[in-house]
Amino acid sequence: MSETCVFCRIIAGELEAVMVYEDTDVVAFLDHRPLFRGHVLLVPRTHVTVLSDLPAEQLVPFFGVAQRLERAVEDGLGADGSLVLINNIVSQSVPHLHLHVIPRHRKDGLRFWLGPRHPYDAEHPAEAYAARIRDHLGYNGQ
């Protein structure tokens, strides 16, 4: 636990939040500045900053609850769908791993949020980007 982390303080019960779910591995609560009402944040009880820091044994519990939350947000709020995302460092307002489950409705005006797009072209070929990622994964396509 980080004594200065807002999410750690929510987990410890030092700060109030509207709780949605909690178990021994994770806590889920409503975002206090929701993009849309019903916007839920899921955080591991263990203080880690980014997804790659989450211990392997916590992946299944974390994403298992994320999957259940996604369905509960959609069905419970009558949403057409949801946006599920994790920011790592950039746009991460609290440096504690958190997954957003945001209810979506057709024509809700959120399209601009994931833009502008930057397509691949001759100067920036898709295969060059894929190769760099494969190299860091240690994957040769076999």
Side-chain angles (χ1 to χ4, degrees):
M1 176 177 152
S2 166
E3 298 197 10
T4 59
C5 173
V6 171
F7 293 164
C8 286
R9 293 182 66 209
I10 289 170
I11 292 165
E14 296 171 8
L15 290 178
E16 280 192 40
V18 179
M19 295 303 214
V20 172
Y21 177 86
E22 61 183 299
D23 64 22
T24 58
D25 298 303
V26 300
V27 173
F29 48 90
L30 293 181
D31 191 315
H32 78 282
R33 292 183 332 172
L35 218 44
F36 295 112
R37 291 174 194 93
H39 178 164
V40 177
L41 299 178
L42 174 67
V43 301
R45 286 185 180 273
T46 303
H47 181 85
V48 296
T49 303
V50 296
L51 181 59
S52 56
D53 293 341
L54 189 66
E57 64 274 5
Q58 291 184 24
L59 288 170
V60 170
F62 185 80
F63 283 105
V65 173
Q67 187 177 45
R68 291 174 54 209
L69 277 174
E70 172 260 329
R71 180 58 53 206
V73 165
E74 291 174 7
D75 293 347
L77 301 177
D80 297 325
S82 61
L83 176 62
V84 178
L85 66 87
I86 296 173
N87 291 311
N88 276 334
I89 302 172
V90 176
S91 295
Q92 190 182 30
S93 57
V94 177
H96 184 127
L97 173 63
H98 55 287
L99 179 141
H100 299 257
V101 181
I102 303 165
R104 297 291 314 274
H105 295 277
R106 287 178 177 79
K107 299 184 181 186
D108 61 16
L110 196 55
R111 255 192 332 258
F112 74 93
W113 197 48
L114 295 177
R117 303 296 176 145
H118 302 281
Y120 299 105
D121 55 26
E123 187 179 344
H124 303 94
E127 182 53 39
Y129 285 81
R132 289 165 56 190
I133 295 167
R134 283 192 301 264
D135 183 52
H136 280 272
L137 283 172
Y139 177 74
N140 63 9
Q142 309 270 328

